[in-house]
Amino acid sequence: MTDYSSLYAQKRTTADELAARVENGWLLGTDAAVSAAPAIFSALARRAAEGGLSGVRVQTLLDVYPFEFYEDSGLFGKLTGFSWFSGTGARKAVNGGYGDFLPAYYRDIPRHIRANYSYDAVCLSVSPMDKHGYFSLGATCSYAVAMLEKAKRVYLEVNRFQPRAVCGAQIHLSQVDALIEHDQELPVLAPPKLDETSVTIGNLIAERIPDGACIQLGIGAIPDATGMALKAKHDLGIHTEMFTDSMVELIECGAVNNSKKQIHRGQSVTTFAYGSKRIYDYIDDNPAIALMPVDYVNDPEVICKNDNMISINAALEVDLWGQVCAESVGTKHMSGSGGQIDYVRGACQSKGGKSFIAFTSTAKGGTISKIKPILTPGAVCTTSKNDVDYVVTEYGVAHLRGHSLGERAKRLIEIAHPDFRDELRFEAKKRGMLI
Ligand code: COA
């Protein structure tokens, strides 16, 4: 068997030395969430802050590390972040005018990369090398494979806290230009808050999910909390964009066993995982979870292959036609489209499938209704009126798909917060929607 240790030692360097190799004008890529390389990006930010870089761009998706280029507007133009989705940092930078956003369906990103981009370097966090010279890409597998095809150089940050996904993407030492070792606990997402409202919403959805269903839970507090309401179910399966804490809970309590899936039976399928340490421990060396590229996992034609596919996603506001905004508060950017529309469509195309858009009826301490006569000017329509299926608040469930505008308005007003129902009724009547 080949001994890779001397080749590994030759390629090993430090974050500062790697940062020194980066040239002005380079485009750098990384994958979503915990697959980004925090030590390499921090070293680059130090170099940029000292005036040693200009025109370097970094593409991210769901930033979960506090990247300096999203925290410090002074780095704009030297080291600038572009996000395919947005995390807390990118949201701040995009709205602050010192970062930019790349609108896209998550599923299409590998296609955009193959068609439009060439990376001077791709920087990824990976788990330690195995005896055959492979590094696991760990808890994310979304578009790294496409990026690696378009990478002039590959820089790895080897982190012993990155799980080894045995059914996920791998990269071989021979494909790597340089690597650093940097052990750092992976960022964690606070567990879902199980307050009275989210428990009510979760129970309303759970009543409509049969045993044996296959689930997707979207990004956000309500979808993840809803997962917790499914603990009494049996034989559930998982096919999802993001693998969350509530999914591990459902697996460990026995509600999920993936035994009834039509594809990937016996395995949970996801494109990335983000949550507590419990998730990363679950992925490590576990053949029961497959991390696969997003152009496969989020393809509605793949999603719908599982019968009784149930998608549960969040929203910021919904208008009386049933148009769903999940990306902005008016013109203020909050997030990308992710896979919401693909899971709405995939679930609705699946035999027995259903899609739920779930949210608390109000925002900002009860002062704003999330069900609105019209979307706030500038709001992004994520899921169209033609695709929307069930809308859920703590006041009930409105089935909209295939129903008239008048029926939609009536059903949505019934699940709006009582304080806003008169106003919504007045606006709907004014527009001739309630006859
Ligand atoms: N008007 C004004 N502010 C609003 C609002 C509204 N209608 N709705 C929410 N907000 C505010 C909240 O008060 C909160 O403010 P804070 O950060 O100051 O507390 C903020 O917006 C976020 O709202 P919240 O309901 O906590 O959002 P979340 O973190 O649960 O995320 C989405 C919700 C919609 C942003 C998230 O699900 C998302 O990114 N979706 C898009 C893509 C998608 O669905 N992907 C998954 C598919 S696989």
Side-chain angles (χ1 to χ4, degrees), residues 62 85-86 91 106 216-223 240-242 272 298 312-318 325-330 332 334-343 357 359-365 368-372 376 382-383:
L62 188 62
F85 185 78
S86 266
R91 197 179 277 174
Y106 196 0
Q216 172 260 347
L217 301 176
I219 294 173
I222 292 292
T240 191
E241 171 183 303
M242 175 163 121
F272 79 98
N298 280 16
I312 304 164
N313 288 289
L316 297 166
E317 57 182 51
V318 172
C325 164
E327 295 175 56
S328 70
V329 174
K332 186 177 159 206
M334 296 291 283
S335 145
S337 313
Q340 180 172 116
I341 186 61
D342 292 321
Y343 281 93
I357 299 290
F359 50 87
T360 55
S361 64
T362 60
K364 302 287 172 206
I368 293 175
S369 174
K370 292 191 184 176
I371 295 180
K372 301 218 151 124
T376 304
T382 307
T383 292

Side-chain angles (χ1 to χ4, degrees), residues 30-48:
T30 194
D31 206 335
V34 301
S35 71
I40 297 176
F41 290 135
S42 283
L44 274 167
R46 282 193 297 278
R47 204 184 139 198

Side-chain angles (χ1 to χ4, degrees), residues 212-213 234-238 255-262 264-267:
H234 301 283
D235 301 327
L236 295 177
I238 293 174
V256 165
N257 58 20
N258 291 305
S259 65
K260 297 283 193 280
K261 288 173 80 176
Q262 274 62 45
H264 304 287
R265 190 164 283 189
Q267 274 187 322

